[in-house]
Amino acid sequence: MALQFSLVYFLVVVLSVNFAHGIKPANVEIEQLKVLYQSMSAKLQNVESENQRLNSEVTRLQTRSTTVAFTARLSNDTELAAIETVVFDNILLNSGNAYNERNGQFTAPVAGTYQFAVSLTNFGKESYFAVQKNGNDALSRLYIKSGLTYSTSSVVVTHLDAGDIVHVQSQYFPTNLRQGKYSVFSGFLIK
């Protein structure tokens, strides 16, 4: 639009200068300027259309290329109450910053299909855990037998809407977990 205004302004200035000097523009010159103006207007419309197409493509690619992935583990052996969120506080990866190491919650930044994996090891207490969605929907339940040191693991694939929260929670009675590579929580956006 600014280019069209500039062209019209240019034509007015050229014609004004010619009239001010007593030169009357010939019909041929006027026709040539009209053709030039029409040609430039058509090119401007093409550029504007291409710009809109490219902006749409950039938006589509930005949405599609959202990387969301995390892996976190316990930095210390941990005692847990009967119903308590496990806070995996040692982040190994947090692309997209969707996992919060202060409260143990993953918050989906975009709607999509996600995979979560959890592996837990304790010191011989019978234990129950759940991978919870939005605090009340158990996506998966895990059980650790009493005795020596035992482990459990689970993998779950689910759809999340933007803002949905997933975390691991102890269930039923107090328990403990081993630190480091023995207790890990991870997840990523599939699509």
Side-chain angles (χ1 to χ4, degrees), residues 118-120 127-131 140-144 152-154 168:
V118 62
S119 177
L120 304 171
S127 304
Y128 295 87
F129 296 89
V131 178
S140 174
R141 296 204 184 271
L142 300 97
Y143 171 73
I144 299 176
T152 186
S153 62
S154 177
V168 178

Side-chain angles (χ1 to χ4, degrees), residues 4 7-8 11 32-42:
Q4 287 176 338
L7 289 173
V8 169
L11 290 174
Q32 288 174 341
L33 290 173
K34 284 181 183 179
V35 169
L36 178 63
Y37 172 76
Q38 290 171 350
S39 172
M40 293 182 98
S41 292

Side-chain angles (χ1 to χ4, degrees), residues 19-182:
F19 280 119
H21 291 195
I23 303 169
K24 295 185 180 180
N27 287 341
V28 173
E29 290 179 44
I30 292 174
E31 289 305 314
Q32 288 174 341
L33 290 173
K34 284 181 183 179
V35 169
L36 178 63
Y37 172 76
Q38 290 171 350
S39 172
M40 293 182 98
S41 292
K43 288 178 182 178
L44 177 62
Q45 287 177 342
N46 289 340
V47 168
E48 288 174 345
S49 294
E50 180 66 6
N51 189 38
Q52 287 177 346
R53 186 191 69 74
L54 291 172
N55 282 336
S56 296
E57 181 69 8
V58 166
T59 301
R60 185 185 70 79
L61 290 172
Q62 285 173 335
T63 302
R64 191 182 87 189
S65 67
T66 301
T67 300
V68 180
F70 77 96
T71 297
R73 60 187 181 193
L74 294 176
S75 59
N76 297 301
D77 293 341
T78 303
E79 294 291 327
L80 296 164
I83 297 177
E84 184 177 348
T85 297
V86 181
V87 179
F88 298 89
D89 60 337
N90 181 5
I91 292 180
L92 303 176
L93 172 71
N94 198 8
S95 297
N97 296 314
Y99 179 76
N100 185 329
E101 75 276 11
R102 292 182 303 282
N103 63 18
Q105 296 181 342
F106 171 85
T107 303
V110 296
T113 302
Y114 290 81
Q115 176 178 305
F116 295 94
V118 62
S119 177
L120 304 171
T121 302
N122 74 3
F123 292 104
K125 288 186 177 181
E126 183 175 31
S127 304
Y128 295 87
F129 296 89
V131 178
Q132 296 283 119
K133 175 181 173 183
N134 295 328
N136 57 9
D137 183 12
L139 299 173
S140 174
R141 296 204 184 271
L142 300 97
Y143 171 73
I144 299 176
K145 182 179 175 181
S146 63
L148 299 173
T149 300
Y150 286 101
S151 297
T152 186
S153 62
S154 177
V155 175
V156 63
V157 175
T158 188
H159 174 82
L160 297 179
D161 291 322
D164 281 350
I165 294 172
V166 175
H167 67 277
V168 178
Q169 184 178 45
S170 61
Q171 304 275 293
Y172 310 124
F173 42 81
T175 189
N176 58 42
L177 288 173
R178 293 196 63 194
Q179 57 84 26
K181 298 173 186 172
Y182 298 104

